Amino acid sequence: MILVFGGTTEGKQVARILDELEYPYYYSTKTKVDYKGKGTPIHGVMTRSLLETFCKKHEITHIINASHPFAVQLHQMISDISIALPLIRFQRQFSPRIRDQNVSYVDSFEEAIRYFNKNNYSSLLALSGVQTIAKLRSYWEEHLTWFRILDRDSSRAIADEAGFPKTKLLFGYPQSKAAETELFTKLSPTVIFTKESGSNGKLEEKIAAALAVNIPIVILKKPKISNRYLCIDTKAALIKIIS
């Protein structure tokens, strides 16, 4: 039996591969999702002890972590288990980092805020997700800021709890270069902030649009994960490991 941590495009991809192979699996997500695969869906937050108990009870042979690149706590929790199981990190593809005077990479939110202040940026368009509103509070409390978040009640609740102005919320997903360029031109922020979210997060489109309108873009680097993981990003590699 295989345990998949999903809830992402990569998670759905892994589920389709396992469905094709007719391998039994559990599909785990933090919250209940509209899952249509052949596996058994489960949801809820797992601790290390709960995960270890689950793996022993259900005779898990492999764990496939296909969660979001920035699900740092989940990545760490899985890698901390004491059970000797193969830990597979099925990750999205990432392009090489861009070298341009208008493209900067930072290691943390604190570094990003220091960078904004150092360069006297007076307005910000944040494409980093609703969970980052609280982390950027010290900036948006003092400067004009827009946040693009998902158009769902749970996201609105998080933004509301953080006290972020409703009038400065934008709703939607990452878009094409043309659509992003139109948005950037309309708002004309002095800086754009996003995460190194890879191809599925349309990072290349965001960068291209920012460069097209000559607006600096600051990118939070993807977090490093434990070397316990075997990192792959293709169907062939996954099949080879679990077969």
Side-chain angles (χ1 to χ4, degrees), residues 4 6 8-15 27 66-69 90-93 199-200:
V4 179
T8 58
T9 301
E10 295 75 36
K12 294 176 182 177
Q13 185 179 352
V14 168
Y27 188 81
S67 62
H68 194 277
F90 193 90
Q91 58 191 6
R92 60 188 60 174
Q93 296 182 344
S199 57
N200 289 338

Side-chain angles (χ1 to χ4, degrees), residues 38-94:
K38 297 178 182 178
T40 302
I42 57 175
H43 67 275
V45 177
M46 278 199 188
T47 62
R48 187 179 72 175
S49 60
L50 286 175
L51 176 56
E52 291 175 345
T53 300
F54 184 91
C55 290
K56 292 175 182 177
K57 179 179 179 180
H58 298 282
E59 299 181 342
I60 300 299
T61 58
H62 299 76
I63 293 178
I64 304 175
N65 180 0
S67 62
H68 194 277
F70 284 83
V72 179
Q73 292 180 329
L74 178 59
H75 300 326
Q76 189 62 50
M77 183 275 291
I78 295 172
S79 68
D80 283 344
I81 64 171
S82 58
I83 305 174
L85 284 177
L87 303 183
I88 303 166
R89 173 63 180 147
F90 193 90
Q91 58 191 6
R92 60 188 60 174
Q93 296 182 344
F94 293 87

Side-chain angles (χ1 to χ4, degrees), residues 3-199:
L3 173 59
V4 179
F5 285 90
T8 58
T9 301
E10 295 75 36
K12 294 176 182 177
Q13 185 179 352
V14 168
R16 286 194 296 270
I17 294 169
L18 297 179
D19 288 344
E20 291 174 9
L21 296 172
E22 297 187 348
Y23 282 10
Y25 65 95
Y26 287 95
Y27 188 81
S28 176
T29 55
K30 185 176 181 180
T31 58
K32 190 174 183 179
V33 299
D34 184 19
Y35 167 78
K36 294 182 173 63
K38 297 178 182 178
T40 302
I42 57 175
H43 67 275
V45 177
M46 278 199 188
T47 62
R48 187 179 72 175
S49 60
L50 286 175
L51 176 56
E52 291 175 345
T53 300
F54 184 91
C55 290
K56 292 175 182 177
K57 179 179 179 180
H58 298 282
E59 299 181 342
I60 300 299
T61 58
H62 299 76
I63 293 178
I64 304 175
N65 180 0
S67 62
H68 194 277
F70 284 83
V72 179
Q73 292 180 329
L74 178 59
H75 300 326
Q76 189 62 50
M77 183 275 291
I78 295 172
S79 68
D80 283 344
I81 64 171
S82 58
I83 305 174
L85 284 177
L87 303 183
I88 303 166
R89 173 63 180 147
F90 193 90
Q91 58 191 6
R92 60 188 60 174
Q93 296 182 344
F94 293 87
S95 300
R97 289 173 180 162
I98 303 296
R99 292 187 178 184
D100 188 279
Q101 63 179 4
N102 269 346
V103 182
S104 302
Y105 294 85
V106 295
D107 291 308
S108 66
F109 291 97
E110 294 77 13
E111 184 181 348
I113 293 172
R114 289 195 299 270
Y115 188 85
F116 299 157
N117 292 329
K118 175 184 176 181
N119 289 279
N120 296 314
Y121 293 133
S122 59
S123 59
L124 167 69
L125 171 58
L127 308 175
S128 48
V130 70
Q131 297 288 353
T132 67
I133 290 179
K135 297 181 183 297
L136 295 173
R137 177 184 299 278
S138 65
Y139 180 86
W140 60 256
E141 284 184 334
E142 301 293 335
H143 303 85
L144 173 62
T145 303
W146 297 270
F147 266 91
R148 183 168 69 192
I149 67 175
L150 297 181
D151 188 7
R152 58 191 185 194
D153 291 340
S154 58
S155 294
R156 289 186 178 85
I158 293 171
D160 186 60
E161 184 178 355
F164 188 79
K166 293 183 176 63
T167 57
K168 300 304 178 186
L169 289 174
L170 310 173
F171 299 99
Y173 289 89
Q175 307 171 80
S176 65
K177 176 191 172 183
E180 296 288 43
T181 300
E182 182 179 354
L183 175 64
F184 298 173
T185 301
K186 177 182 177 181
L187 297 179
S188 294
T190 54
V191 66
I192 296 166
F193 179 67
T194 191
K195 293 177 177 177
E196 191 177 21
S197 51
S199 57

